[in-house]
Amino acid sequence: MADADMVLEIRGVTREFGNKTKTRVLHGVDLQIRRGEFSALIGPSGSGKSTLLNIMGLLDRPTSGEVCIAGQPMTHLSDDALTRARSRTLGFVFQFHHLLPAFTAIENVMIPAWGDRGQADSALRARAEALLRDVGLSERMHNRASDLSGGEAQRVAIARALCQNPPLILADEPTGNLDTQSADGVFTLLRNFNRQRGTTFLIVTHDDRLAARCDRIIRLVDGRIVSDERRAPADSPAP
Ligand code: ADP
């Protein structure tokens, strides 16, 4: 594929569940995400957001349709190849941070990148330290994850998602489990990574106020994209 700016392209994606009685949850979804975008995926509960996110995140396969990430068609890869492609091309931030509680903050950032070596080289350690500084945790990087607050743990999860510099970060209700102040801090962090470094985010959220701070709002209803709006976000700097 020629378009180097396209980080995600899905075409005609459907997903059905059930064996005898099939229920179609996604009805031919088309979506393109370009490098540097900061987009929200919104929609009522049950509209298919998680199903779509799982397919875009290569955690599930569509019943039909195509998924391309960073120009690579994914639909026909083996499970092993899909797992490798996922770790190379995607970062994930979930509602619950899923840190390993017995490991330190910096170890949690480095572990997904350890690969088969099972340990960190100096370049990886330097990158993890820099990211933890960037998320405001330079004083906490050697604390165990179990000793961190919810907001701090989510910041570690963001550093972990960014550590291998993936072309796309998928965030599923990244502030859903935080109090208002921590949620605002975490969201601002994502926004700043996007503005300052061009990191591409697609954020699933229930929160209209957060969606209003994104550059693009994609709305899913009953398994179909019903609107896709590009806009000046509410907190854009004055021109
Ligand atoms: P949302 O994230 O927008 O709340 P979901 O993607 O979780 O929506 O669910 C969309 C619909 O698909 C719901 O009706 C849900 O019950 C159904 N669904 C999701 N996963 C499965 C599954 N594994 N088996 C059967 N139905 C499912």
Side-chain angles (χ1 to χ4, degrees):
M1 198 163 71
D3 190 343
D5 272 352
M6 193 74 80
V7 294
L8 171 84
E9 182 168 22
I10 64 175
R11 281 189 302 267
V13 161
T14 69
R15 182 67 169 101
E16 293 173 353
F17 291 110
N19 293 322
K20 281 187 192 143
T21 316
K22 294 198 191 311
T23 308
R24 184 167 278 202
V25 169
L26 297 176
H27 300 265
V29 176
D30 299 320
L31 183 64
Q32 297 182 335
I33 302 283
R34 288 176 185 279
R35 186 154 51 163
E37 287 187 352
F38 192 77
S39 308
L41 176 64
I42 64 169
S45 181
S47 58
K49 301 183 298 297
S50 305
T51 304
L52 184 57
L53 198 72
N54 286 342
I55 288 172
M56 295 189 294
L58 307 178
L59 299 161
D60 185 23
R61 293 174 188 270
T63 304
S64 62
E66 284 294 331
V67 178
C68 280
I69 298 180
Q72 189 186 359
M74 298 288 172
T75 323
H76 305 293
L77 295 184
S78 67
D79 287 351
D80 283 351
L82 213 54
T83 301
R84 285 194 296 277
R86 186 187 311 126
S87 69
R88 201 179 60 247
T89 57
L90 296 168
F92 293 93
V93 181
F94 299 102
Q95 179 172 1
F96 301 99
H97 51 74
H98 299 300
L99 299 184
L100 299 169
F103 288 82
T104 63
I106 190 164
E107 285 165 344
N108 269 282
V109 174
M110 296 188 299
I111 283 169
W114 280 356
D116 297 335
R117 294 192 308 278
Q119 59 181 0
D121 58 27
S122 56
L124 173 58
R125 183 169 290 277
R127 207 158 65 240
E129 282 174 1
L131 276 166
L132 284 167
R133 264 198 305 278
D134 295 341
V135 300
L137 289 178
S138 33
E139 306 297 317
R140 307 282 275 156
M141 59 177 90
H142 300 296
N143 286 64
R144 283 183 185 213
S146 54
D147 294 336
L148 302 175
S149 72
E152 288 171 339
Q154 197 59 316
R155 286 165 183 265
V156 175
I158 291 166
R160 179 182 58 185
L162 288 159
C163 190
Q164 296 186 84
N165 204 20
L168 176 62
I169 308 273
L170 297 173
D172 190 3
E173 301 280 3
T175 62
N177 192 38
L178 302 176
D179 62 77
T180 313
Q181 197 182 349
S182 308
D184 189 64
V186 162
F187 189 86
T188 301
L189 205 56
L190 302 182
R191 190 65 266 202
N192 289 344
F193 270 112
N194 166 260
R195 286 223 171 99
Q196 290 160 12
R197 305 181 188 192
T199 312
T200 312
F201 288 93
L202 178 60
I203 301 167
V204 173
T205 180
H206 270 97
D207 187 334
D208 288 342
R209 285 173 316 134
L210 292 189
R213 293 172 65 187
C214 295
D215 301 334
R216 178 179 175 192
I217 301 180
I218 301 150
R219 185 174 171 78
L220 197 68
V221 175
D222 292 338
R224 291 183 173 86
I225 292 177
V226 295
S227 66
D228 184 351
E229 188 191 341
R230 286 167 201 276
R231 50 203 303 291
D235 66 347
S236 324

